[in-house]
Amino acid sequence: MLIAGIDAGGSKTECIIVDTEKDKIITRAQTGAANYQVVGLEAACREIKLALEQAKKRAGISCLKAVGIGLAGAGRREDLVKIEREMEKIMNSRNFFFSSDAHIALLGATGGSTGAVLIAGTGSIAYGLKKNGAKIRSGGWGPIIGDEGSGFWIGLEAAKKAVRAEEMRAEKTELKNLVLEHFNFSKLEELIPFIYQQQLPRQKIAALAPSVFDLAQNGDEAALEICQEAAAELAILAHSALLKLDYQEDKIAAAGGLIKSSYFYQLLKENLRENYELEIYKAKKSAAYGAVFMALRELEN
């Protein structure tokens, strides 16, 4: 049985086609960002359609048993209804199943079972399922009132600390040079139009995080402080979500771009263990594969 799973995320849209009987990915395709809160409803649906068409073309197939789609920015039922209606306009949506990106990330991380997942990428959210299938979440409030510990948060903190050090309101740090080089600026004042005129370019700011990790490992105190604070914020988020479950859970899965850094993953792991006696493990499968699990469940129902 061939099922497509689509992770329509804030930085890219990934589509995989899985032979579920063999538990094997037969092809994949990737297109642009599809967070409809950011790029708009029509643009998000176009990226989803394009990713699916490319994957089907590469696999040399025309028919699928089902398609599971998880969407960034679609955490509420009203959001999903809007997406469903728009998708119906542009393609045959029979056996298309929709959910949030957090939901498919959980199913992918746990291998299709219950539990909880901490997602630390451009944004941050912790998500879980109760025994009866009810969804719980902590975080996911966006860059202005949330996303603590995320890649965006780390990048923005780096810029703030660079400015403070430049004005002698904080100790010296290499963050200034890091920010200038990363954004190809000649002076820090260029941050003002970059941030405000582009209305917080989240992906560009979040892309600074890996360089902050490198700087922290090289002994920069300001960068180290940012990394430790980010790990602490994410640990709080993870613990908060587990408290909302109706069963005891002493571990949580982790997914997202920040988890790819072994340095930062270790910081997070140590914080969770020391402060909350919680263990963390890396996602078993991708969010796109989680969308396949979600579609399978919907077919069974």
Side-chain angles (χ1 to χ4, degrees), residues 97-176:
F97 303 108
F98 299 84
S99 187
S100 68
D101 57 340
H103 185 65
I104 63 168
L106 169 65
L107 294 177
T110 62
S113 65
T114 57
V117 64
L118 172 67
I119 306 169
T122 301
S124 61
I125 187 173
Y127 184 91
L129 291 176
K130 291 186 175 183
K131 290 179 180 178
N132 63 0
K135 303 168 185 176
I136 61 96
R137 57 178 281 177
S138 287
W141 291 90
I144 296 177
I145 58 174
D147 282 349
E148 296 88 351
S150 67
F152 170 80
W153 185 92
I154 290 170
L156 197 60
E157 286 297 306
K160 289 179 181 179
K161 286 186 180 295
V163 169
R164 290 178 66 86
E166 175 73 358
E167 296 185 342
M168 293 182 290
R169 293 187 282 136
E171 294 183 4
K172 289 184 178 180
T173 171
E174 286 299 311
L175 285 170
K176 173 187 174 181

Side-chain angles (χ1 to χ4, degrees), residues 55-119:
K56 288 169 66 177
K57 183 177 181 180
R58 289 175 184 176
I61 59 175
S62 59
C63 297
L64 294 163
K65 183 66 175 179
V67 179
I69 305 172
L71 301 120
R76 301 174 302 165
R77 181 57 198 166
E78 307 93 274
D79 300 326
L80 295 174
V81 168
K82 290 179 183 178
I83 291 285
E84 289 175 22
R85 288 174 179 169
E86 186 64 26
M87 289 299 295
E88 286 175 357
K89 295 178 184 177
I90 62 175
M91 61 195 308
N92 178 11
S93 58
R94 182 175 177 270
N95 282 349
F96 274 51
F97 303 108
F98 299 84
S99 187
S100 68
D101 57 340
H103 185 65
I104 63 168
L106 169 65
L107 294 177
T110 62
S113 65
T114 57
V117 64
L118 172 67
I119 306 169

Side-chain angles (χ1 to χ4, degrees), residues 17-28:
I17 296 178
V18 174
D19 183 335
T20 57
E21 295 174 1
K22 297 180 180 179
D23 190 23
K24 179 182 178 181
I25 298 174
I26 62 172
T27 192
R28 66 177 71 240

Side-chain angles (χ1 to χ4, degrees), residues 207-226:
L208 190 58
S211 298
V212 176
F213 296 160
D214 291 340
L215 201 58
Q217 292 179 84
N218 288 330
D220 188 278
E221 288 296 325
L224 177 60
E225 186 177 301
I226 291 172

